[in-house]
Amino acid sequence: MSSTINFEHGALISGRKGRYSGVLDAFIDESKASHKNSVQIEIIIRVFFRDAWNNSKVNIDNKGKSKWTDTNGVTHWVELAPWPKGKLHNWSKRFVSNTKKFWDGKLWLKTPKAYKKFNLQTKGYVYRPNVWCRFTLESVQSRNLAHYDIDVAYIKDKDDFFRSHSVLYDSNDKQKTWRHEVGHLIGLAHPSAGNNSAHAYDDVPGYPDDAMGRGTKINTLHAKPWQAACAWLTGTKRSQWIPANSFQKPKRLRKA
Ligand SMILES: [Zn+2]
């Protein structure tokens, strides 16, 4: 097996098409596949984190307070400050490593029978490897390199907060919020997004404690962006790639 990335399937580079969700790069890596290991599909998202203090869209009055209206229409006043030197960089590092660890490598896709290009011969047999869903989030230093630019507000009082949304985070957000927001960046909606907003966060039956709702867990419904990328990169339909939340060993098909 080759030790370099096989670009037979090309790379999916969506670039900066939209602003709020599902903008990403993706590629398929067959170099680690074997009679025991999966093909990997990797989604990569690059984010430029900016100090919200410098953004005129974040409305800051002359006492350093920011007024903002949450999704329920309630107005809040929060005292902001410029990020102390080096702190935003450190915050970004924590954010990236925490959310990458949460989303990376938790799901698998079963390669459809009809798709033969992953098949490999080894140890006298032909195997059909399945696909491991990988994720990388990178913090970059310029808008031009990023899929998203996200403002991060430094809040003076550590007990104060406002609710983050897609492109404005705050320094006091909890890790649970970070993981949820990165789910949106990957392209995931709330579990019941079709319903009105009061119920958007409700879990879908059979998928409790959903990280895209009010919960903390990844489930197979979250495989959608990897299914879509896999379908685009292989010229198949996304519904053919059945998601699983545990390792799926390669299928031994026949003697070589
Ligand atoms: Zn959300």
Side-chain angles (χ1 to χ4, degrees), residues 147-237:
H147 296 113
Y148 299 96
D149 37 276
I150 292 173
D151 292 300
V152 191
Y154 183 78
I155 298 178
K156 272 189 163 173
D157 183 342
K158 69 176 173 47
D159 296 323
D160 219 348
F161 76 99
F162 60 81
R163 223 172 97 182
S164 292
H165 61 74
S166 311
V167 289
L168 179 61
Y169 297 173
D170 86 52
S171 55
N172 293 339
D173 282 333
K174 297 188 169 65
Q175 292 179 354
K176 183 182 160 184
T177 305
W178 297 356
R179 295 163 175 187
H180 177 102
E181 293 305 331
V182 168
H184 285 315
L185 295 186
I186 299 171
L188 296 170
H190 298 140
S192 303
N195 300 332
N196 66 48
S197 63
H199 291 289
Y201 293 86
D202 292 356
D203 287 334
V204 172
Y207 301 93
D209 198 27
D210 188 334
M212 295 314 295
R214 298 181 189 86
T216 59
K217 291 209 167 71
I218 291 177
N219 68 57
T220 52
L221 297 176
H222 302 144
K224 280 180 189 151
W226 286 273
Q227 285 172 291
C230 215
W232 288 325
L233 291 167
T234 59
T236 53
K237 290 200 182 103

Side-chain angles (χ1 to χ4, degrees), residues 42-217:
E42 179 146 8
I43 282 177
I44 301 166
I45 294 178
R46 290 183 295 274
V47 179
F48 174 47
F49 292 110
R50 291 186 302 199
D51 188 342
W53 187 262
N54 300 322
N55 183 356
S56 59
K57 280 179 287 175
V58 179
N59 190 359
I60 297 168
D61 76 2
N62 59 11
K63 292 192 181 88
K65 289 197 173 170
S66 177
K67 176 178 146 183
W68 64 282
T69 307
D70 72 15
T71 49
N72 301 321
V74 181
T75 296
H76 301 254
W77 287 93
V78 180
E79 198 167 355
L80 304 181
W83 277 87
K85 201 172 176 342
K87 286 260 174 82
L88 179 56
H89 178 71
N90 293 341
W91 179 93
S92 307
K93 274 167 76 173
R94 286 198 305 277
F95 183 96
V96 164
S97 89
N98 183 286
T99 58
K100 175 179 158 51
K101 203 170 157 195
F102 181 70
W103 286 103
D104 177 34
K106 301 294 173 65
L107 296 166
W108 284 260
L109 304 175
K110 291 182 207 162
T111 304
K113 258 186 211 165
Y115 189 75
K116 299 192 167 66
K117 287 190 180 169
F118 293 160
N119 288 2
L120 56 92
Q121 270 186 40
T122 181
K123 303 190 179 288
Y125 288 92
V126 176
Y127 292 86
R128 180 173 63 236
N130 294 298
V131 178
W132 191 19
C133 301
R134 307 300 308 270
F135 174 64
T136 292
L137 185 72
E138 288 173 11
S139 157
V140 295
Q141 296 309 308
S142 137
R143 281 191 82 168
N144 298 331
L145 301 172
H147 296 113
Y148 299 96
D149 37 276
I150 292 173
D151 292 300
V152 191
Y154 183 78
I155 298 178
K156 272 189 163 173
D157 183 342
K158 69 176 173 47
D159 296 323
D160 219 348
F161 76 99
F162 60 81
R163 223 172 97 182
S164 292
H165 61 74
S166 311
V167 289
L168 179 61
Y169 297 173
D170 86 52
S171 55
N172 293 339
D173 282 333
K174 297 188 169 65
Q175 292 179 354
K176 183 182 160 184
T177 305
W178 297 356
R179 295 163 175 187
H180 177 102
E181 293 305 331
V182 168
H184 285 315
L185 295 186
I186 299 171
L188 296 170
H190 298 140
S192 303
N195 300 332
N196 66 48
S197 63
H199 291 289
Y201 293 86
D202 292 356
D203 287 334
V204 172
Y207 301 93
D209 198 27
D210 188 334
M212 295 314 295
R214 298 181 189 86
T216 59
K217 291 209 167 71

